[in-house]
Amino acid sequence: MARGKERLVCSEADLVAHDIEIDHAICGRSLFAPDEPRLAEKGAHSSSPTFYFVLRELLGKLDPTSRTRLLDVGCGTGRVLAYWLWQGLPGQVTGIELDPEAAAVARSWSAKYDNLHVVEGNVLEHDLSPYTDFYLFNPFDPSILKRFIEAVEAQVTRPVTVIHMSDNGDTWWYVGRPGWTQVDEGTFYTYQNARGYQIKVYQCHQHYTVWRFDPAGRQAGAL
C-alpha cells in the first residue's frame, strides 16, 4: 500500500496524503492535527505529527528490545505510537501530551494495544526514570526544554538516548552538560520519492540531534 502511493508523491501535499493513508491503515483515522498550538501560553508548540519517512530514519537509530521503554514527549495524536505499531517493534511506547484533545485522539485508537500508552499531562510532572529512550519533535519552548533536560539528569539511573527533531536553535541547551554526548545530527528538508526526485516538504531545513546521556558521566563531571 505505502510503496504504491510513493510513486505519486510530488509535493508536500502528496506526502501528507500518503501519510494519512498509512494512518488510516494503522489507526482507522488521520493523525494530523491543527498547526496552531492550543496551549501556547504554557509553552507548548503545535502537535503536528512527524512524517513517517522522518520517523523511519530517526527511530531507526534505536535498537529496540523487549526492555525498551520509549517516551514520546508531546505525542500529539500518536504518530510515533502508530509508527511503532506499524513496524512491529518490541518494547513499550508511551506518549505524553499536554493538550487534552490531542491526547484523547491518541488514546482513542491506541488503547486496545498493550504496548502503547497515552498520558495526558505535563512531562515535567511525569516520572522519567522508567524510560530508556526519549523522542521530541520540538514540543515546547526552550525554557521548558532546559527543565526537561534537568529532569532527565535528576531522575534517570541508566544511560538513555534522546532524539530531538527540529531542535533548531535548541541544540546548545545540551552542549557542555556533564554526561551528555552527541552521537548524531542531520537535517531534513526534502523527501526522495520512488523515482529518485527530491521533493521539498519543509519550508526550511529541520535540524535534529541524537544524544546519549550517561548518569555516571554527570557524576564524574561533578567531581
Side-chain angles (χ1 to χ4, degrees):
M1 178 271 300
R3 177 61 61 184
K5 189 70 173 178
E6 284 180 7
R7 289 193 293 271
L8 303 175
V9 174
C10 299
S11 66
E12 179 184 353
D14 287 345
L15 186 61
V16 169
H18 167 263
D19 280 13
I20 288 176
E21 188 171 310
I22 297 175
D23 287 343
H24 276 280
I26 303 168
C27 313
R29 58 160 298 150
S30 169
L31 298 182
F32 276 90
D35 286 336
E36 293 299 321
R38 288 188 282 260
L39 297 172
E41 73 280 0
K42 296 185 178 180
H45 293 176
S46 166
S47 58
S48 296
T50 314
F51 286 120
Y52 280 109
F53 86 95
V54 173
L55 290 177
R56 185 180 300 115
E57 179 164 340
L58 292 184
L59 296 182
K61 299 179 185 299
L62 301 177
D63 186 19
T65 70
S66 60
R67 296 185 178 183
T68 293
R69 299 293 182 271
L70 172 68
L71 181 66
D72 180 13
V73 180
C75 72
T77 55
R79 176 62 68 73
V80 169
L81 282 69
Y83 176 82
W84 207 265
L85 182 65
W86 182 35
Q87 297 298 305
L89 299 175
Q92 304 278 324
V93 182
T94 298
I96 185 165
E97 175 56 51
L98 189 62
D99 185 334
E101 293 184 30
V105 170
R107 188 179 296 113
S108 70
W109 69 263
S110 66
K112 61 183 177 181
Y113 300 104
D114 292 339
N115 63 328
L116 305 181
H117 313 279
V118 176
V119 176
E120 178 191 327
N122 188 334
V123 71
L124 299 179
E125 299 170 357
H126 188 66
D127 180 12
L128 304 181
S129 61
Y131 299 101
T132 60
D133 306 280
F134 299 88
Y135 178 78
L136 292 77
F137 182 9
N138 191 27
F140 31 55
D141 290 345
S143 59
I144 301 177
L145 173 61
K146 179 176 181 291
R147 293 172 62 191
F148 169 75
I149 292 172
E150 292 170 345
V152 171
E153 294 171 344
Q155 296 180 38
V156 305
T157 59
R158 56 188 171 183
V160 297
T161 299
V162 177
I163 299 175
H164 194 152
M165 169 60 181
S166 291
D167 66 354
N168 306 315
D170 289 338
T171 304
W172 71 278
W173 286 105
Y174 299 90
V175 175
R177 301 185 73 94
W180 290 88
T181 302
Q182 181 178 318
V183 296
D184 196 10
E185 70 174 325
T187 61
F188 291 99
Y189 182 56
T190 61
Y191 168 82
Q192 181 172 305
N193 69 13
R195 296 180 180 176
Y197 294 106
Q198 297 293 330
I199 310 300
K200 189 178 90 166
V201 295
Y202 289 110
Q203 295 305 307
C204 59
H205 289 269
Q206 300 298 301
H207 185 257
Y208 71 85
T209 44
V210 181
W211 300 86
R212 191 70 172 164
F213 174 67
D214 187 345
R218 177 171 172 78
Q219 295 167 4
L223 297 179

